[in-house]
Amino acid sequence: MSDSQPVDNSAVQDLPKANLSYRLVLILLMVGAGALFLGYGRTWSTTTLAETGLPSLVVELSGRDVQPAGSATAIVALAAIAGLVATRRIGRLLSGGALVIIGGVDVLLALRFAGGDRSAIVTAVSERAGQDIDPSRVAAATETTWWWAVTGVGGMCLVAAGVITLVTSARWPSLGSRYEGGAAKADAPATSAWDQLDQGMDPTVEL
């Protein structure tokens, strides 16, 4: 009788799919983080207020100015890449849940801006003018760009990465050593090279 353990063929067959999902998550995180850094760093709005006899007041606001809470999510996305590589089952599940949340925040903030939320712009323009400016006047004098949509796409990438992590991370090779160990043990020699040397045998000679 042989004392060797049977190889879990189904686990070995799942390795390509697990590796694919792992790579896909890392790609989504890199794309999402890049989109967030780019989108929040660009100009979202330009407000031009004209006063009779005075120079026009021009206020340009980036995504970081308009959505200061959302701009930090790009850093979190980069940190999540390191977290998924360095941690195991529990850590990756926590990272996946966090990605879904912060990505959802980015999408929500982008949709709010697209829906006409100009409160941050009104506040910034009033501070620059040194007086309270009527919101309707600010809205009429403001031109917006589409960079908010880039942050929305970045947020969706984070949500997708988080969902895939929650669903598939349990099958990632680094989380289940038995998946990697099963195939390795099947092909491993019965005696290591060091043991062969101890026995006076040449491990470089095939038996």
Side-chain angles (χ1 to χ4, degrees):
M1 294 180 62
S2 174
D3 295 333
S4 61
Q5 296 294 327
V7 179
D8 188 348
N9 291 325
S10 62
V12 175
Q13 292 172 358
D14 284 341
L15 276 174
K17 295 180 180 179
N19 289 331
L20 179 61
S21 66
Y22 182 67
R23 295 192 197 100
L24 178 59
V25 166
L26 294 182
I27 292 172
L28 285 171
L29 285 178
M30 288 186 287
V31 172
L36 293 175
F37 273 115
L38 179 64
Y40 283 119
R42 298 290 182 170
T43 299
W44 281 28
S45 67
T46 301
T47 303
T48 304
L49 293 178
E51 294 285 353
T52 304
L54 296 174
S56 298
L57 174 64
V58 179
V59 180
E60 290 188 352
L61 299 176
S62 69
R64 295 190 184 96
D65 300 320
V66 177
Q67 307 288 8
S71 61
T73 59
I75 300 176
V76 177
L78 287 180
I81 296 177
L84 291 179
V85 171
T87 59
R88 293 185 180 274
R89 181 185 297 271
I90 300 301
R92 285 175 170 174
L93 289 177
L94 293 175
S95 296
L99 287 172
V100 173
I101 294 173
I102 64 175
V105 169
D106 287 312
V107 173
L108 177 61
L109 293 176
L111 291 177
R112 284 180 58 185
F113 187 83
D117 183 3
R118 301 292 182 264
S119 56
I121 298 176
V122 173
T123 300
V125 172
S126 297
E127 290 177 352
R128 189 73 60 86
Q131 59 180 326
D132 291 335
I133 306 297
D134 184 79
S136 60
R137 183 185 175 193
V138 173
T142 298
E143 294 183 356
T144 60
T145 67
W146 286 87
W147 286 108
W148 59 266
V150 176
T151 64
V153 171
M156 287 188 287
C157 287
L158 298 192
V159 172
V163 171
I164 295 174
T165 299
L166 292 174
V167 173
T168 67
S169 62
R171 298 193 298 273
W172 289 351
S174 58
L175 294 180
S177 58
R178 65 183 182 277
Y179 293 167
E180 297 174 328
K185 290 178 181 178
D187 298 329
T191 305
S192 69
W194 289 112
D195 290 337
Q196 293 179 28
L197 286 173
D198 289 339
Q199 297 170 10
M201 301 169 59
D202 186 354
T204 64
V205 176
E206 295 184 1
L207 298 178

